[in-house]
Amino acid sequence: MSIIIAPSVLAADFANLEQDITMVNSSEADWFHIDIMDGVFVPNISFGMPVLKAIQNIAKKPLDVHLMIIDPDRYITTFADLGAEILTVHYEACNHLHRTLQKIKSCGMKAGVALNPHTPIHNLHTIIQDIDLVCLMSVNPGFGGQSFIENTFEKVKELQMLIQKNKTNCLIEIDGGVTDQNASRLISCGADVLVAGSYVFKAKDPQANIRLLKKA
Ligand code: DX5
Ligand code: ZN
C-alpha cells in the first residue's frame, strides 16, 4: 500500500480556504486532516462546525477528523453528519474508550485513537483490536508549525509490532512536524499515513511538497 498523505487544513489560509481545498483536491494527497480543538484539552481553539461544513461542501477526498476535545462522545453524531470518514479521539480524553469507539463505528465512521507524545504504546494492548487508526502525535497537540519529537520513530516501531502481533489492519498515522526530512524514516518504521500542515500549506509550491511526501 502506498503512503497516505493528509494535509492538515489548520495551516491553510482561512481567508482563501476554497483555494486551498481545491489545491488539495487536484493534488496527489489522499485525505483532508481536520483539527478540532476546544481550548480545554489543548491550549488553543481552531474552528468548528460551520467551517467544517464549508470544507465538506468542496472537499473531494475523505475527511480525517482529529478531535482534541474533552468528552468527545458528545459530538460523535454531529461529526458523522458533517461527513467525517475517520473520527479520531484522544486516549487521554476518554474515560470509556471502548464505548466511544463502538459509538463511532455504529455511526458508520472509522474509529481512530490519538496518543500524546508522552503516552506509552502499551496502553493500547487491550484495545488495539477495536481501533482502525492510531494517530501518534509527534508534537504536543494544539498548534501547527512545531518541531518533530524524535522518540516518535521508536513509538512507530513498537506500535507496528503490537499491530502485527494482534493481526489487525489498524493504520499508523503520524501527526506533527512531518516534512521530507523525516517522512522516509517514518515510513520505514511502519507509518501508513502522514499528516502535514505547515510543510504543505506554507510552501511556495504545496503540490510539489505533497508529491515529495508521496514519493518518500
Ligand atoms: C497539532 C495538529 C496537527 C497540526 C500539524 O495539534 O493535530 O494536525 O495541524 O501541523 P504541522 O504539520 O505544521 O506540525
Ligand atoms: Zn491533527
Side-chain angles (χ1 to χ4, degrees):
M1 194 187 78
S2 85
I3 188 80
I4 294 170
I5 306 300
S8 172
V9 175
L10 186 66
D13 176 359
F14 289 112
N16 293 288
L17 199 47
E18 181 168 10
Q19 197 176 294
D20 280 356
I21 302 297
T22 309
M23 178 281 290
V24 175
N25 280 341
S26 62
S27 76
E28 288 177 37
D30 303 274
W31 297 350
F32 286 91
H33 184 82
I34 310 286
D35 289 308
I36 306 289
M37 306 177 183
D38 66 356
V40 180
F41 180 69
V42 288
N44 194 14
I45 298 175
S46 54
F47 50 81
M49 287 62 173
V51 175
L52 180 51
K53 181 83 202 137
I55 295 170
Q56 190 219 356
N57 285 339
I58 352 173
K60 294 203 168 82
K61 297 180 178 183
L63 304 179
D64 167 37
V65 178
H66 175 196
L67 298 184
M68 285 159 272
I69 66 175
I70 58 162
D71 196 7
D73 293 49
R74 295 170 294 160
Y75 294 106
I76 291 173
T77 53
T78 307
F79 284 102
D81 293 343
L82 284 164
E85 196 149 310
I86 304 122
L87 192 65
T88 296
V89 295
H90 263 265
Y91 176 84
E92 303 82 4
C94 295
N95 288 329
H96 305 284
L97 185 59
H98 181 269
R99 179 185 294 151
T100 304
L101 297 178
Q102 302 313 317
K103 188 165 174 197
I104 293 173
K105 291 186 203 175
S106 73
C107 290
M109 298 176 286
K110 297 230 181 296
V113 176
L115 295 188
N116 277 339
H118 73 277
T119 303
I121 299 294
H122 67 70
N123 288 7
L124 299 179
H125 274 208
T126 49
I127 190 83
I128 192 75
Q129 308 274 9
D130 296 285
I131 307 176
D132 296 310
L133 173 149
V134 174
C135 174
L136 292 182
M137 292 308 303
S138 37
V139 298
N140 288 293
F143 303 92
Q146 304 181 79
S147 12
F148 181 84
I149 298 173
E150 293 286 317
N151 84 346
T152 310
F153 295 117
E154 286 308 311
K155 289 182 81 176
V156 182
K157 288 191 216 162
E158 200 184 329
L159 177 58
Q160 201 196 30
M161 283 196 293
L162 179 67
I163 291 169
Q164 283 171 352
K165 200 172 127 208
N166 285 274
K167 300 186 175 61
T168 72
N169 293 318
C170 177
L171 295 175
I172 301 178
E173 176 176 74
I174 314 299
D175 188 9
V178 171
T179 68
D180 59 341
Q181 299 301 302
N182 48 34
S184 52
R185 190 166 162 205
L186 285 167
I187 296 165
S188 59
C189 290
D192 304 294
V193 186
L194 299 179
V195 174
S198 317
Y199 179 72
V200 169
F201 289 104
K202 309 291 186 211
K204 273 213 180 95
D205 185 347
Q207 293 193 342
N209 278 10
I210 291 170
R211 222 171 294 127
L212 283 178
L213 293 179
K214 198 78 193 165
K215 284 195 193 127

